[in-house]
Amino acid sequence: RRNIEILQSHHVEKIVTTCPHCFNTLKNEYPRLGASFEVFHHSQILSSLVSEGRLKPSDELDAKVTYHDSCYLGRYNDVYEEPRKLISAVTGSGPAEMEQCRERSFCCGAGGGLMWADEPNSKRINNERAEQALKTGAGILSVACPFCMTMMEDGIKASGADQRVAVLDIAEVLEGPNDV
């Protein structure tokens, strides 16, 4: 309630998040406590700006890109198209989809607290998800969540593929990995 009071005292009308967990909380839980602002994930804003022609990708990316649907952006809030539209804007085609994607996506493990759990590498959920990404043959694994980024970076490193697969936020893919 205090956060809402502070935001309202500053006349906040719109909030943009980079974190799907924050997006979910601000969009779905804060209104129950009296909040009345619009909440957007950065992939939604970037996609809108690209489709309106107000933002142009830096260069066409000549790389195969796969995309990991984060739980709180995808399954909890049905945001699936915007990140894919950004990848299409950069590559000219959609992402190389993992076997489990969209509504059937596979959690990276961070949302369930496994980021801090001491599991054997062979059983870590992020390592399994990274293997699913590697099966696409993509050189870029794109994410739209800072927690997913950490988990996917760790999973790609554990697989030994960190020299050939980059893990990038969807905004970095839009900018072009050579520009980051």
Side-chain angles (χ1 to χ4, degrees):
R1 293 182 195 276
R2 179 75 178 126
N3 287 345
I4 293 168
E5 288 174 18
I6 291 169
L7 292 166
Q8 288 173 336
S9 75
H10 291 286
H11 308 288
V12 171
E13 295 176 12
K14 296 180 183 182
I15 297 174
V16 178
T17 72
T18 58
C19 172
H21 300 255
C22 296
F23 173 74
N24 183 66
T25 299
L26 291 165
K27 180 177 172 60
N28 299 318
E29 296 175 20
Y30 273 42
R32 291 184 226 150
L33 300 171
S36 61
F37 32 75
E38 291 181 89
V39 182
F40 302 93
H41 184 263
H42 75 294
S43 66
Q44 294 174 307
I45 296 295
L46 293 171
S47 180
S48 177
L49 291 171
V50 168
S51 69
E52 293 168 5
R54 295 172 53 197
L55 179 64
K56 299 207 182 312
S58 59
D59 292 309
E60 187 164 311
L61 184 62
D62 186 26
K64 193 175 196 181
V65 179
T66 191
Y67 174 69
H68 167 73
D69 290 287
S70 71
C71 298
Y72 279 96
L73 193 57
R75 288 191 311 258
Y76 286 88
N77 287 287
D78 296 318
V79 177
Y80 296 107
E81 296 309 316
E82 290 88 342
R84 286 168 172 80
K85 287 179 182 177
L86 292 171
I87 291 169
S88 292
V90 175
T91 64
S93 64
E97 295 286 7
M98 290 185 234
E99 182 179 327
Q100 291 180 272
C101 62
R102 297 181 180 264
E103 296 85 1
R104 295 184 54 243
S105 187
F106 196 87
C107 180
C108 74
L114 295 176
M115 181 181 272
W116 299 278
D118 190 23
E119 299 177 287
N121 269 348
S122 63
K123 300 205 186 257
R124 291 192 62 85
I125 193 169
N126 61 315
N127 293 349
E128 188 171 337
R129 184 60 170 163
E131 288 298 324
Q132 291 178 6
L134 291 171
K135 285 180 184 176
T136 68
I140 296 174
L141 168 53
S142 180
V143 298
C145 171
F147 295 105
C148 293
M149 178 171 276
T150 297
M151 296 299 280
M152 293 296 89
E153 285 174 338
D154 289 351
I156 294 294
K157 283 179 192 167
S159 75
D162 53 317
Q163 297 301 311
R164 61 181 166 83
V165 177
V167 180
L168 301 174
D169 183 85
I170 195 70
E172 294 175 295
V173 172
L174 183 63
E175 179 61 22
N178 295 329
D179 299 328
V180 178

